Amino acid sequence: MPLSASLAAAMTTLLASTITWPGPLEGPGTSRVIDIRDVTRDQDGAATVTTGAGTLDARLNANVAFAKDSARLTAAGQARLSELAAVTKALPAGTLAITGYTDDLGSTEHGLTLSRQRANAVAHELRASLPPTVTTTVAGKGEADPLVPNTDETARAQNRRVQITFTPRP
Amino acid sequence: MRPTVPTLAALVVMTAVTLAGCTGGATTATPTSTSSSATASAAAPQTWPTQPTSSPAAATSGDAVPTTAVMAVGASDLDSPLVSRTISYNGAKVSLDVWAPQIRDHQMYVTVRATLDPTASGPTQLMRLLADADPTSQVRGIPDGIRVVDPVARKEYLPSLGPDKLPLCSPNMVRSFAPGDVAYVTCVYGQPTGSPKRLQVVAPNFGSFDAPVR
């Protein structure tokens, strides 16, 4: 099945998703319409993508997407970004922020440089198909803002990531 | 155009529980055995008893018991479950009945029914049994550990998030279930890409269930 067709459902939910959900306090038989965000995760751990309510939030696992201590994309990383590009090319006007992060190992300077290079590599893959109404920002934050404390290798692996966040123009 | 679900009944938690009151936290236990059985017939769900609560925020965060009676789904809305499995948890038998995932209005819904054996020696936190292993999920009592896997596309669907960024799984409660209690759990997911015909429903502690998509 063509890649773009296979992501049609994701693109639909990207723009606006609502469901009617029971409100726990409103009493029996009542409900409210709420915005929702759908969450999908790759089984190989390449990425976790949250879409809906006009937003996109993707976390690219740097351990899968990049070669070790490098900004060179792996085949899995390129494949995942290709899928993501099919979604981002349908984005409405807004800003796509691409931010790289590393763990706390190595020097701070090295982390900042590597995270910025990785963010640039992701931006390079996505920019080609982005609509002109979408602006991109690219940053490397190194070991700042860890998802979890860098207590062990499992935690450090979680922190090695590239975050891709879309904010629609108000 | 924003898709909406036409019938609330398709989403609602159907919880048939006779609450014996909060009796404190349950002990953590590892399931010791599994077994599969033929499909079980759906029990008629009962309305949820109303409980007082302090604020909407508390209720949606799972810190308080919902004040409303959760609407019951009529028997015609749920046919027989697809498959059932029983495990031993904390010395008690807990059964899980699983219905096939439903696709409606660009979302996917999964319903399961957990039953605590009447001969269980004490209360069990059924929602924790179905919650993600993450400590935050375990504490807040949302049964958000149920995943839907597309083995062909190698994708895993996690429960969708509401405006409060909490997983849309219901019931949302930190409460002990007494022996014999039954809890219907429904979670919302994104529509699978590629229109798969079969998916796997993966429930913590119970394992994977192969299921056709409705």
Side-chain angles (χ1 to χ4, degrees):
Chain A
M1 180 175 290
L3 183 63
S4 58
S6 72
L7 288 174
M11 292 163 64
T12 300
T13 61
L14 171 68
L15 298 178
S17 292
T18 63
I19 61 167
T20 304
W21 192 250
L25 298 182
E26 288 88 343
T30 63
S31 61
R32 56 202 167 102
V33 175
I34 58 172
D35 287 327
I36 64 172
R37 289 166 174 76
D38 299 326
V39 186
T40 309
R41 186 162 61 197
D42 297 339
Q43 281 198 296
D44 64 1
T48 301
V49 180
T50 304
T51 58
T55 64
L56 165 74
D57 195 348
R59 185 187 310 154
L60 202 63
N61 182 344
N63 307 286
V64 177
F66 297 96
K68 187 176 171 68
D69 200 33
S70 164
R72 180 172 59 83
L73 283 165
T74 61
Q78 284 187 322
R80 196 59 185 92
L81 286 173
S82 291
E83 283 192 10
L84 208 53
V87 177
T88 57
K89 76 176 184 180
L91 288 174
T95 304
L96 191 70
I98 303 168
T99 311
Y101 299 88
T102 60
D103 57 29
D104 64 341
L105 298 178
S107 70
T108 302
E109 187 60 38
H110 176 71
L112 286 170
T113 300
L114 179 61
S115 60
R116 186 173 59 249
Q117 289 173 338
R118 285 176 167 174
N120 275 323
V122 169
H124 177 78
E125 294 294 315
L126 296 180
R127 268 197 189 120
S129 56
L130 279 176
T133 52
V134 175
T135 56
T136 54
T137 64
V138 182
K141 290 198 171 181
E143 61 188 69
D145 304 329
L147 289 176
V148 294
N150 285 293
T151 51
D152 55 24
E153 173 53 25
T154 301
R156 291 191 173 94
Q158 283 190 62
N159 292 327
R160 294 190 289 263
R161 66 201 191 278
V162 176
Q163 202 74 35
I164 304 160
T165 304
F166 174 74
T167 305
R169 195 173 297 166
Chain B
M1 186 167 109
R2 293 154 73 91
T4 58
V5 177
T7 57
L8 178 59
L11 310 177
V12 170
V13 173
M14 307 151 289
T15 306
V17 175
T18 302
L19 297 180
C22 286
T23 54
T27 60
T28 302
T30 304
T32 57
S33 64
T34 62
S35 63
S36 295
S37 61
T39 57
S41 56
Q46 303 159 19
T47 54
W48 186 270
T50 57
Q51 298 283 345
T53 188
S54 55
S55 72
T60 54
S61 69
D63 295 330
V65 177
T67 59
T68 69
V70 178
M71 295 186 297
V73 173
S76 60
D77 287 33
L78 273 188
D79 47 16
S80 296
L82 191 68
V83 65
S84 300
R85 191 170 293 165
T86 301
I87 65 169
S88 178
Y89 179 74
N90 203 16
K93 286 186 181 176
V94 182
S95 299
L96 191 75
D97 302 312
V98 178
W99 277 265
Q102 268 192 325
I103 308 292
R104 292 192 191 189
D105 292 325
H106 306 288
Q107 302 299 142
M108 174 168 56
Y109 301 91
V110 171
T111 297
V112 303
R113 177 177 64 202
T115 305
L116 182 56
D117 192 87
T119 62
S121 59
T124 298
Q125 296 235 355
L126 284 182
M127 294 305 103
R128 283 188 179 169
L129 194 61
L130 296 172
D132 189 82
D134 180 88
T136 305
S137 292
Q138 291 285 317
V139 168
R140 64 193 179 193
I142 301 175
D144 61 347
I146 302 170
R147 305 277 185 267
V148 181
V149 174
D150 184 342
V152 173
R154 295 184 55 74
K155 293 226 181 285
E156 188 177 36
Y157 294 88
L158 283 63
S160 300
L161 305 175
D164 51 7
K165 298 186 179 178
L166 292 177
L168 286 172
C169 289
S170 209
N172 173 348
M173 56 193 314
V174 180
R175 179 171 277 272
S176 292
F177 288 73
D181 281 350
V182 177
Y184 287 82
V185 171
T186 294
C187 291
V188 184
Y189 304 82
Q191 180 176 346
T193 56
S195 303
K197 294 293 185 287
R198 298 197 73 85
L199 295 169
Q200 292 173 350
V201 176
V202 183
N205 298 298
F206 290 91
S208 177
F209 302 82
D210 186 55
V213 179
R214 290 188 292 167

